[in-house]
Amino acid sequence: MTKTALICGSLAFDKIMQYHGRFGDTLLADQLHRVNVSFLVPTLRTEYGGCSANIAYNLQLLGGEPLIMGTLGMDGGDYLKRMQEQGLQTRGIRTIADAYTAQCFVTADQDNNQINAFHPGAMQFSHENNVGDQGPLAVAIISPDGRDGMIKHARDCAELKVPFMFDPGQQLPMFSGDELITFIGQASYLACNDYEFEMVMDRTGLSQADIAARLDALIITRGAEGSDIHASGEHHRIPAVQAANVVDPTGCGDAYRAGLLFGITNGLDWATSGRIASLLGAIKISSQGGQNHSFTPQEFDQQFEAAFGFSFR
């Protein structure tokens, strides 16, 4: 039986710039209606990112079988080569010849305030990909992507009877209450952070109990406070794992979701799957960027047993 997990979502470059001053010293509160400022950013780094690649990267490290389905632009050749060299399955990635790869431009000041700009680029063509073209699947995740693509891929999964996790993330504001109710009705699992889940309840008018009853599992992450998994009428409180060093939270949510997918494809219970996810997030936060940490499955197993006192393999 296949263990392939289809990872639908964005592929992006993160351009991260550091301003050595404070935005507040340049932005005048009484002149924000006519801003014209320039910030000298002596440092610039490019990180490989996007939700689908981040999730797949972590799932592969665990020993899972991710298959990425997303879109790159005309400038995505190096990214595609990198993923292939890592052994990731990329047959579901489409290159859009007349668009740039999605890119997030982040400028941070010395107080870690950020001014961000996001160019969706090729992500807007994600609806051109088809779930049915990807072969046998154990599970899928619909993570942040182009709006039309997220709607189409959820519908495709439902029609093909592929269980999927709906992970709206930063794209949540794009959907109406009725659209979110449709997603919840199609999905087997919903994963949100606590703020996002409050927005889901507000927009749909559904309570936590209502939403959980429509799903095989509802997962709510709470940062340093851990996470909650509601499944089959049971509540699993998942503890956070103390990170060795808090460096960069970028991609921690994606790492967590990779842990859940590993648990699902390997038939693990939710209490164990949540703990795998929690440890993955703690490992990721100790390094910069979404895909620069590394470990072998054996090393992960040792850390898991040290953190929780039992082995899951």
Side-chain angles (χ1 to χ4, degrees):
M1 179 177 287
T2 183
K3 290 187 178 182
T4 300
L6 183 66
I7 318 296
C8 308
S10 60
L11 294 164
F13 295 123
D14 296 327
K15 308 283 189 177
I16 302 170
M17 296 159 279
Q18 185 65 51
Y19 173 53
H20 290 175
R22 290 185 170 89
F23 294 143
D25 294 337
T26 302
L27 297 170
L28 303 177
D30 61 345
Q31 297 295 317
L32 294 180
H33 62 289
R34 53 174 187 175
V35 174
N36 185 2
V37 297
S38 177
F39 300 105
L40 177 66
V41 288
T43 59
L44 165 66
R45 76 177 195 273
T46 299
E47 296 284 0
Y48 294 97
C51 295
S52 66
N54 289 346
I55 294 169
Y57 178 84
N58 283 279
L59 184 53
Q60 174 111 331
L61 287 177
L62 278 176
E65 300 177 19
L67 168 61
I68 299 171
M69 190 171 80
T71 46
L72 288 170
M74 65 180 89
D75 54 343
D78 287 344
Y79 200 172
L80 185 62
K81 181 181 177 182
R82 180 179 189 265
M83 289 185 280
Q84 291 169 342
E85 289 174 346
Q86 292 169 336
L88 290 165
Q89 297 185 63
T90 59
R91 68 176 184 271
I93 296 177
R94 182 186 299 266
T95 296
I96 307 301
D98 56 353
Y100 289 105
T101 300
Q103 299 185 46
C104 185
F105 301 87
V106 181
T107 304
D109 72 2
Q110 68 181 41
D111 295 327
N112 207 31
N113 297 308
Q114 293 186 352
I115 297 175
N116 299 340
F118 184 74
H119 172 66
M123 198 176 84
Q124 298 173 102
F125 297 87
S126 62
H127 60 277
E128 295 184 4
N129 287 324
N130 299 305
V131 174
D133 294 339
Q134 308 311 321
L137 303 168
V139 69
I141 182 170
I142 312 296
S143 63
D145 205 350
R147 170 187 158 82
D148 291 345
M150 294 177 73
I151 292 172
K152 179 180 184 297
H153 300 153
R155 184 174 63 246
D156 288 351
C157 284
E159 291 175 353
L160 294 168
K161 297 187 174 6
V162 176
F164 75 90
M165 181 176 296
F166 180 47
D167 170 27
Q170 66 267 28
Q171 299 293 66
L172 179 56
M174 294 193 309
F175 301 111
S176 68
D178 287 343
E179 287 169 331
L180 291 172
I181 289 172
T182 298
F183 275 120
I184 292 167
Q186 294 168 328
S188 296
Y189 322 101
L190 172 65
C192 297
N193 64 33
D194 47 1
Y195 179 83
E196 292 162 353
F197 188 65
E198 290 294 329
M199 186 182 295
V200 170
M201 289 192 293
D202 181 67
R203 291 209 168 183
T204 62
L206 300 174
S207 68
Q208 178 178 300
D210 293 333
I211 294 171
R214 301 181 184 205
L215 299 160
D216 291 342
L218 166 64
I219 303 100
I220 305 170
T221 61
R222 304 185 186 279
E225 296 178 9
S227 53
D228 294 289
I229 300 179
H230 302 270
S232 302
E234 297 182 350
H235 174 210
H236 303 278
R237 182 67 182 153
I238 309 300
V241 176
Q242 184 68 39
N245 191 20
V246 177
V247 175
D248 180 9
T250 303
C252 286
D254 297 328
Y256 184 99
R257 283 144 181 77
L260 296 177
L261 293 173
F262 182 84
I264 292 167
T265 54
N266 285 277
L268 301 177
D269 60 71
W270 285 108
T272 301
S273 299
R275 282 165 171 77
I276 293 171
S278 182
L279 177 57
L280 262 179
I283 291 172
K284 206 288 351 137
I285 206 171
S286 297
S287 66
Q288 208 163 50
Q291 302 171 32
N292 295 320
H293 55 294
S294 64
F295 53 81
T296 66
Q298 293 74 24
E299 289 169 340
F300 183 87
D301 293 356
Q302 290 169 1
Q303 292 187 58
F304 184 92
E305 192 162 359
F308 301 112
F310 68 96
S311 175
F312 64 87
R313 297 197 201 249

